[in-house]
Structures are given as C-alpha cells and as structure tokens.
Amino acid sequence: MVHGTRRMMFLPAGALLLGTLWTGASAAQAATHDSSNATSGIKIIDNPDGGRIYLGAMTGQLTPQDALGKTLHRVSLLYGDRPQLGRLVQNPSGEIWAGFFTVTAKKQDGKPMAGLALVYAPKSGDAKGAVLVDNADRFPKTVNSMFATLKQELGRGPASSSGAQPSPGASATSTTASAPKKTADPAKPPAPEKTKAPVKSGPAQPLQRVAFPDGTGVIGLPAGWQMQKASMGDVTAAGPKGEKLRFGWTIPVIDPTNPQSRTLMGNSRGPAPRNFVAIPYGTDAANAFKAAFSQLARKAGHQPPDIDITKVQDIPMQGGKNYFFYGDMDFHDDKGKQYLVGQMINTPPMQMGTWQMTLFVLYGPEQVMGEEGSTIAAIFPSWSRDNNRVNAMANAEVQKTIAETNQYVNTVNQYIDASDRSTQGMSDMLREETVVVDTRTGEHARTSDDLAGALIDANPNRFQAVPQSGYIKGIDY
C-alpha cells in the first residue's frame, strides 16, 4: 500500500491541530521522565496501541528551524544515530513545522525506526516540540493512534475563565453573542454562542481498518459506521448519528478561461461536458468548492445545497494546492444545516485547459460533530489509496474502452460495406449491367448484360459473371 497520500493528509491535519492546542497546553512542560540528556525535561507517553510520544518545551525565543533542529538533536541523542528528515511542511504563518523522518536505533536493538517531528515556535513565548515514533514497519499503522493520543494530551491545557477550553485559534478575550468565534480545528464546530453550553469533544474512538472491495485503498472507521461504496480510492461512509463522509473524490475540472479548453467546451458557455465541472483555475477554495457541488447537483437534477464556508486554511504543498476548510451545508433534505470539515487538493493545470480537484468531505449535525471532534481528527489521516493499483485499473478500463470502440467501429464499417455493396448490386440490376471477371488476369469489368452474356457464352472458361458477394471495394463499388 502506498502511504504517500496518507502522509500528505496527516501533516496538514497535525499542523492545524497543534496550532490550536499547543497555545494553551501545559502538558509539554510536565515533569522529567528520567535524568538522561536525551529525555531531560521531556514528557514521555507510551501509546496504548504502540509507539511512543516525546513532548517538551524549549526555553528562549527560537525560530521554527532552530526548534526543529533541537528536536531532531534529541532524537539523535536518544537513538545514537542522525535522523534522516523527509519533506517539510509548514502552516501559512510559518510558526509550525512538521516532517517525517527515519532513524536507526543504534543505542537499542538496531532496528529501523520511523517518526514524525512537529514543532511550534511562536513569535513570542517558548517553543514546543513533539516526536511520534515507532518501529518503521509498524509506524504507518500506529501513527493515527499516536496522533489522537497527542491531541488528547495537548487538550488538557488550563481552562479559560468561563470553565471551558478556549476556542481553537481565538484569543483569550471574549466575544459578544452576535459574533461567535470560528474554529481553526478541523475536528470541532465553531464556538457556540455564550447562551449555549460549550460542546466538549470526547476521547477518540478506536478505528477499525476497512479495506475497499477493489483493493484500491483503506480507511479507519469507528464502531457503528458503515462503508456504503468504495471504488478507485473513492469511498463514502455513514455514521450512526447522521455523520457522512466522502474521501478521495476526484472531480475533473475545465478552466473555461483557458483557450485550450475550447477543444472540450467548443464555443459553448453552458455547462461543462460529461462529468466535468467548469471552474477557472486559481478560484479561491471556498468558491471552487461551492461551484463544484452546485454544478454536479444541477447535472443530477437536484437542487444545489446551500454552502457557507467560514474558514479556509491554505496548506503549502509542492506541485499543487492544498486547503482545509470549515463551514455549513444544507442539502434541503429537512435535516437542516450540517457542520462541514473538508480538504481540497488541486493539481496544477493539465492538457486541454483541465485540472483535477480531489475532495475529502465529512459532515454531520453540529452537536454530533463537536462531541466526536477527536474521532473525526483521527479519521482524516486514516484514509490511504494505492495509487499504483488505481492507475493500473484505470489503464485497463481505458484499454477496454478502446477495444469496445474498435469493435463498434468495425461493426459499423461492416454494415456500411454491406449496404454499399447491396446498393451497387441493385444499381447494376436496374441498369441491366453485369460485372465480369477475366479468370486469366483477375481483372473486373462492368458491361451490359447482353455483352456480358456473349462473352461468357463464347468462352465460359475465361469469362464469368461476378455475384454481389464477389464485388471488390474500390473497383466494383
């Protein structure tokens, strides 16, 4: 199974989560686990499902680069080997950095290890760091659980003056009921009005690994959830309390402002052809999401949903665009507004003015989404797709389509040929003409019935009449 997509999903989710929880977390400044240099001042958490989490604060005003360097230095002291860091990602403000790494546990059993290093270095205040690590062969299976454990640990920060946790991404100052705070956590709904009791997220539920029937992917689902459909890495599932998700939904898009799109769009300014939607490349994430849903709903003969995107988080990504977004959706199905958490990954422009949008959407009743915030945060990185298998199946489908098309074309050509041959035969009969073949040379000639009869009677071994089935295309018809 290819884990590249899983990692791309996980890193932005971790950046968003840590940016909201680390600000008020006190767990990072917990007591020392032991007195060695490698773990001095570090809190160590043994994850119940496997793996270990190292969490700590770094004094002094550090840049994210310095904070990450100190964090990885602790890793090298712990294992006796220099960690090999992979691609880094950071949030738009540049205060949060995250990256996967590998290291050999030379001070232990020499086994290869894999981990994720995350640091938060605000412009004012101490920096904080976390490392999630496990055996390399087990890390892809335990990283989601470690992530959920880290989230719970960071969520134990000091409460606000009202007795509730402060809204993620909001300041310590209060707001009026007419201007509720919006969340920056992909797992929680917007902060409720002060007249309502705050919704507290419970601990993350265990996820059960569910493989797609065609072998193109997997996803982790809590107990009570049912996978409804899964194919080519695209999965839909529903929870017991009205929750719904669709992950890995790839939508082909035409940029109508790109001159190359005329090959597909023609001169039409109407709807995009077939399963395409028409959205200019570079449209902001909120409007692109709304446009895609609205156009697909109209093509299906449904009323487009009302969508209100309240926050968009731009996650830097090489070779495309990556966004997390939050808001409400109303499908006009008498269920009212549903709280929405989503991710959109867009490719760069491709041939003929096209590009692709891949969506990961999870929505449900606001109260439910708030209560299950920790579980939702764990579901997002649990999805993964086997791109090699998807590509192989897509190529096989293309070849099948080509073969079916060729068969159809051959059938049509045979029908046209038979029709042309029959038409020419009817014409010969009405004109009282006959096609004669010279058996010595093989040459065909069309002449009157009288002359043809005379030739055949005079030399039947050399001249013969040609039936319609013996007509040669390009010569006799």
Side-chain angles (χ1 to χ4, degrees), residues 190-209:
E193 295 180 2
K194 285 198 170 185
T195 56
K196 299 180 182 179
V199 178
K200 293 185 178 180
S201 174
Q205 301 177 42
L207 302 183
Q208 301 174 356
R209 184 177 182 272

Side-chain angles (χ1 to χ4, degrees), residues 17 37 127 136 183 189 218 336 346 396-397 409 433 445:
L17 172 66
N37 290 335
T183 179
V218 296
N346 298 338
E397 191 65 27
V409 170
E433 293 180 337

Side-chain angles (χ1 to χ4, degrees), residues 149-166:
T149 300
L150 175 62
K151 180 178 185 298
Q152 293 177 25
E153 186 67 26
L154 293 178
R156 293 172 185 166
S160 64
S161 59
S162 63
Q165 291 290 331

Side-chain angles (χ1 to χ4, degrees), residues 12 18 71 94 99 143 199 230 284 339 443 463 469:
L18 297 179
T71 300
V143 62
V199 178
D284 66 90
Y339 186 72
E443 294 181 358
F463 298 105
S469 59

